[in-house]
Amino acid sequence: MHRREAPKHFKCAVLTVSTSKAKKAEEKKREGKNARPADIGDLSGEIAVKLLSESGHEVVLYDVLPDERERIREAVERALSSDAEVVVTTGGTGLASSDVTIEVVAEMFEKHIPGFGEIFRLKSYEKVGTAAILSRAIAGVVAGKVIFCLPGSPSAVELALKEIILKELPHIMKHVRE
């Protein structure tokens, strides 16, 4: 019943956290061009935008930012203050010292959705084996909006969106709006 009554289409933001891709995006901006995912080699962002759009959702914001705490926080806050109801981040979920997306975003959550990370790692385990433990993918709710923090790997973004997020997003959003 919840799924039947749930809204089906949402406005989304896609944020890629990658210092190298952020530099390429800045170069495009200096040239007076918009930085589209394909223009800067952001395959993960491109996959996220494509899958969300093909599923009937509207991507209202796409941005690329470096692995810097303040820039990540600012970008997420900007996405939350936009029309976006759903925010998908890619990158910064690993174990390197520069991987700080989780630390920044998790402290913003009003509610955590631990099942997302658990299912993501289970599905990842089926594909990559025990290397799945290296991912710290998470999801949560902030101000009636949902944020999913995904690894920067294109295959991980595709897995998360196709096998989890797009299947459950209407159900999640129905409950978030209650």
Side-chain angles (χ1 to χ4, degrees):
M1 182 172 101
H2 286 251
R3 286 191 173 115
R4 212 174 34 248
E5 296 173 1
K8 304 289 186 245
H9 304 287
F10 305 99
K11 293 182 179 182
C12 304
V14 175
L15 305 174
T16 295
V17 181
S18 166
T19 299
S20 62
K21 288 175 182 62
K23 287 178 184 175
K24 290 179 184 177
E26 284 300 318
E27 289 171 15
K28 290 288 181 191
K29 287 178 186 173
R30 280 194 297 274
E31 295 170 6
K33 300 175 184 171
N34 283 336
R36 295 181 329 215
D39 296 335
I40 59 170
D42 181 12
L43 188 53
S44 296
E46 188 174 356
I47 289 168
V49 169
K50 179 180 183 242
L51 290 174
L52 289 164
S53 299
E54 286 177 350
S55 297
H57 305 293
E58 181 184 357
V59 177
V60 296
L61 174 66
Y62 165 76
D63 200 3
V64 184
L65 46 138
D67 295 282
E68 298 171 11
R69 289 175 184 267
E70 193 56 37
R71 295 281 301 274
I72 295 167
R73 177 175 279 288
E74 289 170 1
V76 171
E77 287 174 349
R78 188 170 50 256
L80 292 170
S81 66
S82 75
D83 288 345
E85 302 159 281
V86 178
V87 179
V88 175
T89 73
T90 70
T93 66
L95 300 177
S97 60
S98 61
D99 291 328
V100 295
T101 302
I102 300 305
E103 286 73 17
V104 172
V105 177
E107 66 186 27
M108 299 172 79
F109 287 164
E110 296 165 2
K111 291 186 183 256
H112 292 259
I113 307 173
F116 169 75
E118 294 162 0
I119 296 296
F120 175 78
R121 281 179 283 283
L122 173 66
K123 293 212 166 272
S124 294
Y125 175 76
E126 294 167 358
K127 307 260 187 214
V128 300
T130 55
I133 68 168
L134 298 174
S135 173
R136 299 182 302 138
I138 60 170
V141 178
V142 178
K145 299 180 180 195
V146 175
I147 303 174
F148 296 95
C149 297
L150 311 180
S153 155
S155 58
V157 172
E158 185 173 6
L159 172 80
L161 282 161
K162 281 185 172 179
E163 296 193 28
I164 307 168
I165 297 170
L166 293 172
K167 290 179 178 182
E168 287 301 320
L169 192 55
H171 191 192
I172 292 168
M173 291 304 294
K174 179 176 185 333
H175 286 293
V176 166
R177 291 176 172 176
E178 292 177 334

